[in-house]
Amino acid sequence: MRTRAPCEYLYLSYFSDLGLAEPITRALTSKGYDEPTPIQRQAIPALMEGRDLLGIAQTGTGKTAAFALPSIHRLVEADKRPQPASCRMLVLSPTRELAAQIADNMRFYAKNTRLQVQCIFGGVPAGKQAKKLVAGTDVLVATPGRLLDLIDQRALTLRDVEIFVLDEADQMMDLGFIKPLTRVAALLPQDRQSLFFSATMPDAIASLGKRFIKNPVKVEVAPQSTTAERVEQYAIHIDQSEKQALLTLSLMKGIESGEIDRTLVFTRTKHGADRVVRHLVAAGINAAAIHGNKTQAQRIRALDGFRDGKVPVLVATDIAARGIDVSGVSHVFNFEIPNVPEQYVHRIGRTARAGADGVAISFVAPDEKPYMRDIERLTKNKPAVLPIPENFVANAAKLPKPSRAPAGAERNPDARGGRGRGGGGRGRSGGGSKQFEDRQQRKSAENRGDGLPRDDMGRKRRFRPKGANGVGAHKGAVKAR
Ligand code: AMP
């Protein structure tokens, strides 16, 4: 194969210039892709030549195709058959959702070839997955835990791996996968091509990378401190105890006006996500939670509902939402501010994908201000501050109470399809600031046990000056860059 001059890739503007095998370009054409994204333009030529790669890129940049297309090309060109209980290409992914998404993409790109793509992850019976591996597979996409389980059961060996991809390395580290990864590194053959992707590259990740890659080509598409460019970012300063009412009212207004389409709400904890869903469902907003305590079936149902528009609001923890590719996410709400500033970049990167504009709104409690300052330093951007909406207290007092039942739209068939206004079949809880205060106190008590930032309960609420615009005013507000 011809070696390209160092900057030649910059001039490769079409997939047809890259020299990918015809069945692959045919699949791309059927998907309507003709121009590679910047990471694809940089990575594909080097990967087709068999180089190792260190990629610093977030999801949303086209990085799956950046590694999938040249790998499929090389597997097709080598024209080998997989050995029983083995795979020729191994892709490791931190979460089940991301693994399934990568496998779906790879199946699509390989649809005109004979390559087999299998996907394994925890939370579903291992026996079925072991059966799928008996004859061997060309491509295996896996989460680390289940991969090692199947290796321990002798259902799989890694000795024939020709291409190894470690995706979302920083998330792998956050999830505590360092030991499993070290084990996998020892089981891989020396002679292989390795690709290592991470959205951020702190020292610990870089040294993990050294265990897998040799003399890699380095590609970086968005420097880690750069926040997704097209996202309009806003902050609202509000006490923790008032965030739920603000979220509910903002979503009601935004969904009603059609301004909010598909929304991701981020909470710091799983219980926090469930609690938010309970409140939203009680107010007639169809919402579902996605986090590590949900069963695989619940996660799939929540994601499918979100993708097909039946559930317009998905409440997620960082880990569950990482890498999820859903187009048309119009808004991201940071219900709690992440204490790791890079998480903020990942969160808001869920919107403004594929050329669409997106809006990110952060609810900042007094004790979260230092986290916000860290984020501003990292992103070199200060989100525009929005005032609390007019009549917030009065409107918040009218919101219905959630039931005590477990959260999840799937358990509440009565919840209306996102255009509902309060009530949700349960009726209003009755207005009046007394009930509002009582509710706040109950919430405060709930919060005390879960490690969330405390609110200023019992103290005077600090509202912005009267007459200010509400959250719905963000379209007209100054664009934060
Ligand atoms: P990823 O970063 O791999 O999650 O990809 C983000 C989204 O961009 C996915 O929906 C891909 O299907 C899409 N995508 C990837 N490559 C291209 C391309 N060259 N042209 C248009 N869309 C793409």
Side-chain angles (χ1 to χ4, degrees), residues 266-285:
F266 283 95
T267 60
R268 213 177 308 164
T269 66
K270 300 168 199 172
H271 294 302
D274 285 338
R275 193 164 40 230
V276 167
V277 168
R278 274 201 299 275
H279 281 82
L280 294 179
V281 168
I285 297 170

Side-chain angles (χ1 to χ4, degrees), residues 1 41 85 111 121 123 186 188 192 208 212 233 263 284 286 308 336 367 399 402 404 418 428 481:
M1 191 182 294
R41 207 170 288 151
K111 68 177 181 171
F121 44 72
L188 289 166
R192 61 164 201 265
L208 174 71
F212 292 98
Q233 296 165 59
T263 297
N286 215 345
D308 67 23
E336 275 123 15
D367 60 353
L399 289 173
R404 292 249 144 232
R428 290 169 187 255
R481 286 272 183 267

Side-chain angles (χ1 to χ4, degrees), residues 13-243:
S13 346
Y14 297 101
F15 278 117
S16 51
D17 297 333
L18 294 171
L20 290 163
E22 188 277 333
I24 304 174
T25 48
R26 192 150 32 102
L28 289 171
T29 307
S30 75
K31 199 152 174 103
Y33 295 173
D34 55 352
E35 283 185 33
T37 64
I39 191 170
Q40 292 163 2
R41 207 170 288 151
Q42 291 176 51
I44 291 174
L47 292 175
M48 284 169 73
E49 285 165 14
R51 295 282 307 268
D52 279 6
L53 181 124
L54 178 69
I56 304 179
Q58 301 174 40
T59 45
T61 55
K63 87 179 144 88
T64 312
F67 69 72
L69 302 176
S71 303
I72 293 169
H73 174 89
R74 294 189 77 229
L75 294 172
V76 169
E77 294 269 294
D79 197 27
K80 284 190 208 157
R81 305 295 304 151
Q83 293 301 307
S86 74
C87 61
R88 301 176 60 203
M89 175 178 182
L90 173 66
V91 182
L92 276 190
S93 150
T95 64
R96 317 160 192 196
E97 285 78 16
L98 190 52
Q101 202 167 280
I102 293 170
D104 285 348
N105 281 337
M106 294 207 66
R107 274 189 203 108
F108 186 89
Y109 299 135
K111 68 177 181 171
N112 301 318
T113 73
R114 289 184 354 186
L115 298 183
Q116 284 273 333
V117 179
Q118 299 291 359
C119 185
I120 57 171
F121 44 72
V124 290
K128 250 191 184 170
Q129 296 181 342
K131 263 191 212 147
K132 289 196 281 190
L133 297 175
V134 171
T137 180
D138 294 285
V139 180
L140 180 64
V141 187
T143 52
R146 179 52 58 92
L147 178 86
L148 289 168
D149 285 350
L150 290 169
I151 290 172
D152 290 341
Q153 290 171 25
R154 304 198 179 281
L156 177 72
T157 162
L158 300 185
R159 71 171 165 242
D160 296 318
V161 172
E162 297 161 47
I163 306 171
F164 170 67
V165 181
L166 180 60
D167 197 19
E168 303 271 354
D170 52 353
Q171 192 74 357
M172 292 271 196
M173 291 283 268
D174 285 356
L175 287 167
F177 282 136
I178 184 74
K179 273 197 183 150
L181 291 180
T182 311
R183 257 196 84 195
V184 171
L187 294 168
L188 289 166
Q190 286 295 317
D191 186 19
R192 61 164 201 265
Q193 182 183 25
S194 296
L195 289 64
F196 186 90
F197 287 93
S198 190
T200 57
M201 197 55 66
D203 291 348
I205 308 292
S207 59
L208 174 71
K210 285 191 191 125
R211 295 190 204 179
F212 292 98
I213 41 180
K214 287 185 226 136
N215 187 25
V217 171
K218 193 172 165 187
V219 298
E220 183 167 359
V221 283
Q224 51 180 298
S225 56
T226 307
T227 310
E229 285 234 317
R230 287 185 302 269
V231 183
E232 292 176 36
Q233 296 165 59
Y234 303 96
I236 302 181
H237 294 283
I238 183 148
D239 288 346
Q240 182 67 30
S241 61
E242 287 154 348
K243 286 183 175 183

